[in-house]
Each structure stands twice: as C-alpha cells, then as structure tokens.
C-alpha cells in the first residue's frame, strides 16, 4: 500500500455534454457575507416515492435554489435545515438533477463552494428514492453501493462524517477505510454489510485485494480531489480500483475538484461514460482561486519567519483559527515548536495523533495549525480566518487549495503568502497561473501589533473582578504620586506590560528582519552608473 505514515500525503459556468464538445490590520475587518447561494438554474419541483414534497411554501419562494425546488425528501431537508442549510449552492443546484437522473459527471467549483454535498445529496436520494432504489441491496453482508475515493485520511474522515449524518437519516451505513488505522474494524463493518465506503486509495486497494471489499454491487463511484491522488502517487491504485468494476454501464461515476489538471481530464475520458456531463463553474475564468479570500504577499527572509508569523496572526486572524503551510514535514515541526500554542500536522505523525490534532483544532483547543499539504485539500474547518504560506508553493493547484481553507461557504478570509525578496518571481508565477492579484504588504510593524494587543488588553480589563482593587490600590496610588506622568500615560504603560511590551522595536519593510531599518533614498537628479 502507498499509505504508510511515512508516505507523506503532501503529496467549476457551463453545463455541457462531453460528447458535444501591510494594509493596516484594522482595515482588514472580517465581514461575514450572506451565505445564501445566488440564482442558478433550479429544477422543476418533483414528487417521488410519495415522500417528497415540493410545495415551495415553507421556503423563500423567490430563491430558485431553495430546498423546496429540488427532489429532496423531507427527512433530508430537515437534516439540512438543522445545519442552517435552506438553499443549495450553485454547484449543488446545477448538478443535483443530473446526478439523480443517472448521469456520469465532472463537477468543478472553487474551494469552499459545497462540492461535497453536491455528490452526497443526489447519491442519497438516488439510492433511497431514485433510480437505484429498486436494485439496491439491503441484506446483511451486502457489498457497498457507493465508493468514494479521497486523497487524505482527514478528508476521508470528513466526508465519511457527512455521509453518516445525512445518510443515517435513511438508515444507510457508512464505513471509512483509510491507512494507518487498524484493519479489523473496517473488515468487520464490510463483512456485516455497508452501503457507503469512503476511503483513501491505498487502503481501499488493500481491502479489495484481501477480498474484504467487493465492488460488484456498486452504483456510484466518486473521485474527490482526484488530481491530489495523482500527486501523492496513487495513480496506479486509483486506476486499478476503477478498473475493478466489471459492468460499468450499471455504475455512475462522479468526479469533483476545484482544479482539473490533465490527468483528471484523461481519467474522466477513460472511466466516465461518453455521454457524461460537465458542470464547470470556474471554466476559463482567469481567477481560479477563491474570490472571497483576500490574497496578500509579504516579503520575508527565512530567518525572520518565526518572528513575524505570530505578529501576522495577531494582526490578521481576528481571534479565529490560522493554518500555516510549510513545504516540508521538518519545517512544519520546527515552526510549530517556535510558535506558541500551535500544533503540527504532517504525514510522519502517527495516524492516531493526527486525528487528535485535527479534533483539537476543530474544537478550538488550539487555534494555530502548522501543516504540510496534508491539510491543503478539502478540509472544512469552521472559522479558519487566516492562511499563511511560508513560501510560494511549487504548483498553482497547491496555492488554490491551501488558500481555499478560508473564505468558505460565503464567508471571507485572508491568505498571506511569504516570499524571499530575491525569489519574487515565485509570486509572479502564482499570480499568472492562478489569476490572483496579490496585494503587496510589508511586515506588520511592532506598533501595529502592539496596538492590536493593546485593544485586546483594554477589552480584557473589563473582565477583571473589582475584588482586585483593594489589593492593588495602594501601589497604584504610590505609583501615581511618585511619578511625573499622567494617570493615562501610566495606564498605557501598564497595558503594554500586561501584553508583554517593555519596548517597541523596528522591523525592516523589505526583509521583515527585526531591528533593521528600511531607508528610502531619493535624489533630486538622475544618477548615472559607469556601466
Ligand atoms: N447549500 C449550502 N448552504 C450553506 N452552507 C453550505 C451549503 N453547502 C455546503 N455548505 C457548507 O459549505 C462548506 C464548504 O463545503 P465543502 O467542504 O463541500 O466545499 P468544497 O467545494 O468541497 O471545498 P474544497 O474544494 O475546498 O474541498 C461546508 O462547511 C458546508 O457545510
């Protein structure tokens, strides 16, 4: 298998048939947008199996993407509403009927636009109320009806959780099959029979070869983030798994990603039916990365990274979560040891520990994750406000997916990319290939950072109980009477000390090095060099 912990996992508007064809930190205020999807062609309401209704009355009738306008059963609608989902996002609205009506599909939309539910919802409806209802097995020991392949274990877990949550409402069972975890529970579940298997290619291949996983009753196979599976060396495994399905006419194949490089196109030509549909909500638009993310570039020497990153976090994370991406596992571990309160995540960390780290980050036990590309794809974690990339990544897809961990589901976010001043061409390359227009900023100056820390300290004072006053009053009075300063100046000093400042240092605007000063020289007349 290619999944041992050592193999690092760093590793969409037109619908057509393929056969046819430093700004000041204060300025960067978080503004939550309306999460509602904007108008995309919605389907005709339909009735199915007596369970589905399409009254349109309980939703906002004006919204063509309201749940009521789709063949979604009441049970599932209730589940969606319990998560605050009242309308489909454009990628979901555009693909729903295509999948439910039995088509193979290639779906592409920018990061954070809801591609997961774009396949989860129609698959569930198809199995329970749609075309696959009649032939779906429900007996003990049944082989799965759905196989979803994803590049990383964390992502497999996340998609598994969605299928469990939404599929559970119909009594469908799901098994998550990924490497680095014991075989036994996965094999037991498969022996008893499951409806949906979500997994990473290495482990899925192993289970097939050990004859624990049988694909003969498959109705759906889904490839999510297919290009990353190629990057991680899963090409052969993916092709082998797809090739295991004997009667491809009975299987629907769905392929979703925010990026569609060449291999993915080839894959879709070889494994999807000739009359497959393509829904590409990115298309030839220049901007391939998330448009709800503010993309910033900041010059920073390698040596200054650990000094500057905490300050970037203070200025731009607005108290939310931050993910820092490094190019190597070593630098992820090293940087995390230098940034207080952060944890590392990469492919050399044991699987059980990786799960603890992700769970801790999701629940807010710690707010800064230092990760390799293992966290670049698909991860959907609430309130990630800031992404920092320590250097321009080698390929543009990595930039698009990493920066897409923020600004999800209609929210905004900030992505800061650091670069060595002498390698500025890396920024130009990402700009050219992704369509992102970076705003160039310089390192937050210590005064900016101190100011935002001071604001926090001033807010924190409100939470201090009055019980401290009698204890500290005498010192405060002595301080005031012995000093020539005003009470306000003394309080300012006390605030500074409370947030750890005894002095304000300068920082270079060019390299972010501390105690370096940037000089801007101008002459009144042209200078000619001997050359
Ligand atoms: N119709 C909807 N209304 C509101 N929120 C939604 C809707 N659909 C999905 N979401 C939420 O949007 C977030 C992003 O969804 P998802 O992870 O599927 O995005 P994605 O397109 O797969 O992104 P990526 O390319 O990064 O994997 C999730 O938190 C999801 O719950």
């Amino acid at each position: 298998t290619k999944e041992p912990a050592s193999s690092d996992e760093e590793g969409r508007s037109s619908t057509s048939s393929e056969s046819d064809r430093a700004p000041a930190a204060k300025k960067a205020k978080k503004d939550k947008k309306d999460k509602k999807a904007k108008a995309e062609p919605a389907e005709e309401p339909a009735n199915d199996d007596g369970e589905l209704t399409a009254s349109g009355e309980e939703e906002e009738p004006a919204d063509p993407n309201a749940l009521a306008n789709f063949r979604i059963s009441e049970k599932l609608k209730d589940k969606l509403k319990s998560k605050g989902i009242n309308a489909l996002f454009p990628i979901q609205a555009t693909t729903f009927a295509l999948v439910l009506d039995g088509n193979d599909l290639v779906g592409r939309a920018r990061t954070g636009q809801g591609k997961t539910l774009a396949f989860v919802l129609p698959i569930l409806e198809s199995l329970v109320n749609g075309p696959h209802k009649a032939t779906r097995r429900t007996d003990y020991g049944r082989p799965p009806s759905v196989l979803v392949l994803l590049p990383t274990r964390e992502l497999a877990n996340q998609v598994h959780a969605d299928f469990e949550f939404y599929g559970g409402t119909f009594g469908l069972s799901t098994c998550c099959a990924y490497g680095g975890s014991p075989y036994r529970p996965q094999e037991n579940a498969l022996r008893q029979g499951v409806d949906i298997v979500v997994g990473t290619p290495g482990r899925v291949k192993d289970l097939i070869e050990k004859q624990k996983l049988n694909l003969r009753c498959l109705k759906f196979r889904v490839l999510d983030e297919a290009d990353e599976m190629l990057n991680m060396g899963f090409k052969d495994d993916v092709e082998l798994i797809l090739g295991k399905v004997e009667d491809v006419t009975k299987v629907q194949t769905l392929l979703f990603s925010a990026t569609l490089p060449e291999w993915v196109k080839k894959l879709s030509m070889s494994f999807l039916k000739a009359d497959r549909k393509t829904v590409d909500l990115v298309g030839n638009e220049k901007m391939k990365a998330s448009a709800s993310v503010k993309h910033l570039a900041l010059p920073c020497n390698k040596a200054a990274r650990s000094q500057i990153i905490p300050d970037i976090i203070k200025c731009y994370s607005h108290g939310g979560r931050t993910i820092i991406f490094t190019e190597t596992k070593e630098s992820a571990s090293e940087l995390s040891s230098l940034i207080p309160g952060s944890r590392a995540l990469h492919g050399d960390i044991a699987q059980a520990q990786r799960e603890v780290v992700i769970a801790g980050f999701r629940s807010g036990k710690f707010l800064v994750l230092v990760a390799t590309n293992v966290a670049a794809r698909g991860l959907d974690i609430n309130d990630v406000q800031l992404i920092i990339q320590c250097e321009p990544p080698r390929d543009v897809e990595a930039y698009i997916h990493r920066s897409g961990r923020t600004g999800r589901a209609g929210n905004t976010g900030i992505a800061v990319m650091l670069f060595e001043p002498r390698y500025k061409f890396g920024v130009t390359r990402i700009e050219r290939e992704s369509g992102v227009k970076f705003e160039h900023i310089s390192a937050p100056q210590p005064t900016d950072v101190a100011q935002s820390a001071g604001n926090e300290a001033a807010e924190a004072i409100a939470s201090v109980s009055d019980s401290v006053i009698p204890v500290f009053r005498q010192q405060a009075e002595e301080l005031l009477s012995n000093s020539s300063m005003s009470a306000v100046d003394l309080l300012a000093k006390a605030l500074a000390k409370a947030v750890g400042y005894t002095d304000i240092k300068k920082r270079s605007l060019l390299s972010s090095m501390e105690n370096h000063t940037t000089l801007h020289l101008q002459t009144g007349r042209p200078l000619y060099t001997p050359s």
Side-chain angles (χ1 to χ4, degrees):
T1 170
K2 294 226 173 59
E3 289 206 69
S6 61
S7 89
D8 201 355
E9 295 180 352
E10 5 287 60
R12 323 183 192 180
S13 145
S14 66
T15 307
S16 66
S17 165
E18 293 262 325
S19 48
D20 305 336
R21 67 141 158 128
K26 312 158 223 158
K27 274 206 289 177
K29 278 253 155 60
K30 185 176 85 168
D31 67 312
K32 297 267 177 198
K33 279 197 210 146
D34 181 3
K35 282 195 176 188
K36 225 163 261 156
K38 291 292 167 239
E40 281 288 326
E43 305 161 58
E44 284 299 309
N47 236 321
D48 198 356
D49 201 25
E51 215 206 332
L52 306 175
T53 62
S55 68
E57 278 163 25
E58 78 242 44
E59 313 292 346
E60 290 167 48
D63 185 350
N65 290 349
L67 297 182
N69 294 330
F70 296 87
R71 287 171 277 164
I72 301 177
S73 44
E74 288 303 315
K75 276 181 177 175
L76 196 49
K77 273 192 218 157
D78 290 345
K79 278 279 186 187
L80 287 162
K81 286 179 188 165
S82 76
K83 289 270 186 185
I85 298 177
N86 297 306
L88 295 188
F89 278 169
I91 184 71
Q92 300 158 354
T94 323
T95 58
F96 187 83
L98 294 173
V99 178
L100 188 51
D101 292 340
N103 294 287
D104 280 9
L105 180 112
V106 178
R108 184 183 182 203
R110 290 193 181 85
T111 54
Q113 305 283 299
K115 293 183 288 295
T116 312
L117 288 186
F119 59 83
V120 169
L121 300 180
I123 286 179
L124 294 177
E125 285 299 345
S126 177
L127 293 180
V128 177
N129 297 305
H132 293 299
K133 179 182 177 184
T135 52
R136 180 172 70 85
R137 297 249 310 250
T138 52
D139 53 321
Y140 184 87
R142 63 196 176 278
S145 302
V146 181
L147 173 66
V148 185
L149 291 178
L150 300 129
T152 66
R153 300 156 190 184
E154 284 73 17
L155 203 43
N157 261 325
Q158 186 178 292
V159 171
H160 171 250
D162 272 346
F163 267 112
E164 269 205 322
F165 180 77
Y166 294 106
T169 194
F170 300 119
L172 298 176
S173 61
T174 312
C175 164
C176 195
Y178 54 85
S181 58
Y183 277 88
R184 183 70 62 82
Q186 298 169 9
E187 292 177 359
N188 285 345
L190 291 169
R191 194 171 44 253
Q192 288 167 21
V194 294
D195 302 294
I196 299 144
V197 173
V198 181
T200 50
R203 177 60 60 97
V204 168
K205 187 191 89 171
D206 282 356
L207 290 167
I208 293 173
E209 284 176 346
K210 289 173 88 184
Q211 302 193 336
K212 305 287 179 192
L213 173 59
N214 180 327
L215 303 184
R216 70 171 184 276
C217 294
L218 216 56
K219 314 275 180 220
F220 285 100
R221 43 188 193 179
V222 183
L223 298 175
D224 198 6
E225 315 278 0
D227 55 324
E228 183 64 0
M229 296 199 261
L230 173 75
N231 292 342
M232 286 167 45
F234 284 140
K235 178 175 182 282
D236 294 345
D237 291 355
V238 170
E239 291 178 356
L240 185 141
I241 295 164
L242 294 178
K244 286 282 173 198
V245 174
E246 285 157 20
D247 188 354
V248 290
T249 58
K250 294 199 176 121
V251 182
Q252 269 180 263
T253 309
L254 314 176
L255 203 152
F256 280 89
S257 184
T259 48
L260 292 180
E262 222 29 60
W263 179 67
V264 181
K265 290 182 189 148
K266 275 195 198 138
L267 206 62
S268 76
M269 305 280 272
S270 335
F271 291 101
L272 275 67
K273 297 186 194 94
D275 61 352
R276 62 189 166 272
K277 308 290 180 200
T278 297
V279 173
D280 186 346
L281 300 190
V282 183
N284 293 328
E285 277 183 43
K286 202 164 176 284
M287 176 67 163
K288 314 275 186 222
S290 172
S292 43
V293 173
K294 192 167 188 174
H295 300 269
L296 309 175
L298 194 161
C300 176
N301 286 346
K302 203 168 179 180
R305 275 184 203 162
S306 59
Q307 275 172 16
I308 192 175
I309 286 176
D311 289 352
I312 299 176
I313 294 172
K314 281 184 200 130
C315 286
Y316 293 102
S317 73
H318 308 288
R321 291 173 180 77
T322 299
I323 306 179
I324 304 169
F325 285 101
T326 64
E327 293 301 307
T328 65
K329 298 174 240 182
E330 294 73 29
S331 45
S333 294
E334 194 187 316
L335 196 58
S336 136
S337 70
L338 295 172
I339 297 180
S342 70
R343 303 285 294 276
L345 185 80
H346 55 69
D348 276 356
I349 294 174
Q351 183 55 31
Q353 180 61 18
R354 276 167 64 166
E355 283 168 28
V356 169
V357 170
I358 282 287
F361 188 56
R362 269 191 206 282
S363 68
K365 268 195 189 135
F366 61 96
L367 296 179
V368 181
L369 184 70
V370 188
T372 53
N373 269 346
V374 78
R377 297 278 179 146
L379 275 192
D380 183 62
I381 295 175
N382 197 18
D383 202 30
V384 173
Q385 296 286 334
L386 174 65
I387 302 299
I388 301 174
Q389 304 191 48
C390 286
E391 55 194 281
R394 274 185 293 269
D395 57 281
V396 69
E397 280 83 11
Y399 182 83
I400 294 169
H401 288 277
R402 288 168 172 189
S403 58
R405 293 318 95 215
T406 185
R408 302 178 67 73
N411 293 314
T412 54
I414 294 179
V416 179
M417 186 173 74
L418 308 181
F419 65 94
E420 292 263 357
R422 65 200 156 121
Y423 298 131
K424 196 174 175 192
F425 59 84
V427 182
T428 327
R429 176 176 51 81
I430 298 282
E431 227 166 26
R432 193 178 54 243
E433 293 174 12
S434 66
V436 163
K437 188 85 196 93
F438 284 104
E439 187 180 312
H440 286 263
I441 58 166
S442 48
Q445 285 301 311
T447 41
D448 299 330
V449 182
Q451 232 165 33
S452 67
N455 291 339
E456 275 169 34
E459 279 170 25
I461 282 183
S463 66
V464 177
S465 153
D466 288 352
S467 62
V468 305
I469 298 175
V471 181
F472 287 89
R473 174 177 274 138
Q474 194 190 336
Q475 285 92 331
E477 280 170 350
E478 276 173 25
L479 199 59
L480 198 54
S481 61
N482 294 339
S483 164
S484 56
M485 287 185 176
S486 69
V488 172
D489 286 352
L490 274 173
L491 190 55
K493 275 190 162 195
L495 280 177
K497 181 69 183 157
V499 287
Y501 282 86
T502 50
D503 186 16
I504 304 277
K505 294 193 177 111
K506 287 241 175 330
R507 177 177 272 160
S508 161
L509 294 174
L510 294 175
S511 65
S512 302
M513 299 292 281
E514 228 164 54
N515 287 329
H516 285 58
T517 303
T518 310
L519 297 181
H520 185 187
L521 302 178
Q522 269 184 319
T523 64
R525 58 193 171 83
L527 282 180
Y528 298 101
T529 64
S531 59

